[in-house]
């Protein structure tokens, strides 16, 4: 019987050793998370909050500015949150070509909203500004819990001028329902 006891005690010892190693490994991971990962994530979250606030305040200040100033912001320091996919050399000549400030402006596909901000600046002070984007997408507006872009809504609303009416429509531009929403926005 002694050899069996020795075998069992040896197995028990190996089991305890493996469990101790696993415990040490888990503690090392938890220490890393606690002392390195959590502070890094909190720092990034704080940095994002500061940048978000900067963009929001800057857009509010630019809401009564010129299109060129807004273009400088959305194509420069604000481009990470409110950038435009178009180039400055495309946008500004288009706005000059468009003539006097229009009473209504429409955009299909807002992406980050940079072009929307520039169009708001180029439109009349009391203009109707309509932006249509796919629902639930990364850049869409007030959609239920599946919306990945609900946090962007304050930025989008800050783009409009003081007297402008901004309508954010979520829908597919090829869908009859979206065309109906677009028509209602133009009529109302």
């Amino acid at each position: 019987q002694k050899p069996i006891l020795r075998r069992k005690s040896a197995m028990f010892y190996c089991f305890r050793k493996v469990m101790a190693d696993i415990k040490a490994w888990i503690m090392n991971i938890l220490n890393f998370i606690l002392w390195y990962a959590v502070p890094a994530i909190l720092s990034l979250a704080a940095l994002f909050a500061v940048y978000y606030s900067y963009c929001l305040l800057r857009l509010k200040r630019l809401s009564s500015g010129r299109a060129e100033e807004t273009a400088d912001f959305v194509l420069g320091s604000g481009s990470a949150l409110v950038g435009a996919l178009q180039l400055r050399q495309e946008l500004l000549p288009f706005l000059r070509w468009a003539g006097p400030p229009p009473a209504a402006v429409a955009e299909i596909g807002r992406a980050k909203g940079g072009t929307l901000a520039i169009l708001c600046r180029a439109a009349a002070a009391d203009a109707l500004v309509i932006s249509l984007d796919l629902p639930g997408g990364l850049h869409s507006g007030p959609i239920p819990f599946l919306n990945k872009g609900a946090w962007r809504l304050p930025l989008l609303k800050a783009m409009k001028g003081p007297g402008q009416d901004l309508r954010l429509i979520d829908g597919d531009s090829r869908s009859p329902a979206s065309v109906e929403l677009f028509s209602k926005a133009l009529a109302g």
Side-chain angles (χ1 to χ4, degrees):
Q1 286 188 344
K2 282 189 177 185
I4 293 174
L5 285 176
R6 282 187 191 154
R7 207 174 326 142
K8 282 184 180 180
S9 64
M11 283 177 36
F12 182 69
Y13 173 76
C14 288
F15 177 75
R16 285 182 56 199
K17 176 76 172 127
V18 167
M19 292 307 290
D21 289 347
I22 290 173
K23 181 181 174 187
W25 183 72
I26 289 172
M27 291 306 293
N28 285 338
I29 290 173
L30 290 175
N31 280 332
F32 173 80
I33 290 171
L34 179 66
W35 294 107
Y36 297 103
V38 169
I41 290 169
L42 291 176
S43 297
L44 288 174
L47 186 63
F48 177 79
V50 168
Y51 182 63
Y52 184 90
S53 298
Y54 162 74
C55 288
L56 189 61
L57 292 172
R58 188 82 170 110
L59 284 170
K60 286 181 181 179
R61 278 196 208 120
L62 290 169
S63 68
S64 55
R66 295 182 6 255
E68 291 81 8
E69 292 169 340
T70 304
D72 289 340
F73 175 68
V74 300
L75 297 170
S77 62
S79 64
L81 285 182
V82 289
L85 298 178
Q86 292 79 12
L87 301 172
R88 182 183 179 85
Q89 50 271 39
E90 296 171 345
L91 283 171
L92 296 180
F94 166 73
L95 296 177
R96 284 190 287 277
W97 170 82
V105 175
E107 172 190 46
I108 297 176
R110 78 179 69 100
K112 292 181 184 177
T115 304
L116 176 63
I118 294 170
L119 289 174
C120 286
R121 296 296 55 73
D126 61 345
L128 168 64
V129 181
I130 303 171
S131 178
L132 176 72
D133 201 15
L134 290 171
L138 182 60
H139 308 296
S140 65
I143 294 293
F145 68 96
L146 292 177
N147 182 8
K148 298 175 193 142
W151 60 271
R152 193 177 295 276
L153 192 59
L155 293 170
L156 294 171
K157 288 184 177 180
M159 293 175 185
K160 73 179 191 78
Q164 293 178 334
D165 182 13
L166 177 63
R167 307 275 177 94
L168 301 172
I169 300 173
D170 293 313
D172 187 342
S173 61
R174 298 166 290 181
S175 140
S178 296
V179 173
E180 179 68 26
L181 288 171
F182 210 88
S183 297
K184 282 182 184 177
L186 284 171

